[in-house]
Amino acid sequence: MTPGRTVVIAVGNPFASDDGVAHRIVDAARPRLPPEVEVRATHGEPARLVELWAGADLAVVVDALADGGPAGRVRVLDGLGDAVGAAGGAAGDAAGRRAGGSHALGVVDAVALGRAVGRLPAALMCVGVTGAAWGPGDELTAAVADAVTSAADAVVAAVAPVADIDPGRDGGARGRDRGAGTAQNTV
């Protein structure tokens, strides 16, 4: 497959405990990504997400989840399907939007905005890690820190079909929940 524009976007505040996990995940994945893959970061404001992924053939959004699941659980979701809204509740419900990510407005809202203005990527994958703490500080909770490697593997696997890279040991695991904790807990 001829690679088109691919962008990996870390969403979150690196100074708000587990909300900063996306930055750590993207930093861990970056050495295994081809140089032509764009890597960006944002706090998650929907218009900014739309701006970052507009025109991309593939966007991989990495974010902390406040979905009520066990801390450290890694989820890989099709961002253009119903899965993103279902991760935290009904996509049209403000509480569901909050539960699907760690922001009052975020990826679910950005997808709706992107649809409305015709600026969605051709494909959108979302890699999320369920967080437990959202207060001030740059330290991740232990379970979330343990999930960084597995989530970075998921980012590389999401990019692999459009880039000439070997996704590694977790390359075939896209689209499934992958248990909390370290890589030995993944399928």
Side-chain angles (χ1 to χ4, degrees):
M1 171 181 251
T2 303
R5 180 173 171 251
T6 300
V7 61
V8 174
I9 306 168
V11 177
N13 181 347
F15 303 107
S17 300
D18 290 346
D19 192 43
V21 71
H23 299 274
R24 306 261 183 103
I25 293 165
V26 171
D27 286 346
R30 189 184 312 243
R32 296 189 294 158
L33 297 173
E36 64 272 10
V37 171
E38 297 174 35
V39 177
R40 303 285 185 252
T42 180
H43 287 289
E45 196 277 321
R48 179 70 175 139
L49 279 167
V50 170
E51 177 185 322
L52 291 172
W53 70 39
D57 293 299
L58 171 64
V60 180
V61 174
V62 185
D63 198 0
L65 300 175
D67 62 0
R73 177 177 63 180
V74 177
R75 301 195 66 194
V76 181
L77 304 167
D78 174 357
L80 298 179
D82 294 330
V84 172
D93 173 354
R97 285 194 302 273
R98 172 71 176 113
S102 62
H103 318 283
L105 295 174
V107 178
V108 172
D109 302 287
V111 170
L113 177 61
R115 272 197 181 101
V117 298
R119 297 190 71 190
L120 286 173
L124 173 63
M125 298 301 297
C126 298
V127 176
V129 174
T130 302
W134 312 104
D138 61 359
E139 296 297 319
L140 301 176
T141 57
V144 172
D146 287 346
V148 168
T149 299
S150 180
D153 291 343
V155 170
V156 173
V159 171
V162 296
D164 188 21
I165 58 174
D166 179 2
R169 71 180 188 288
D170 290 334
R174 254 186 18 201
R176 295 192 297 264
D177 282 356
R178 299 194 280 160
T182 59
Q184 66 260 26
N185 292 333
T186 64
V187 289

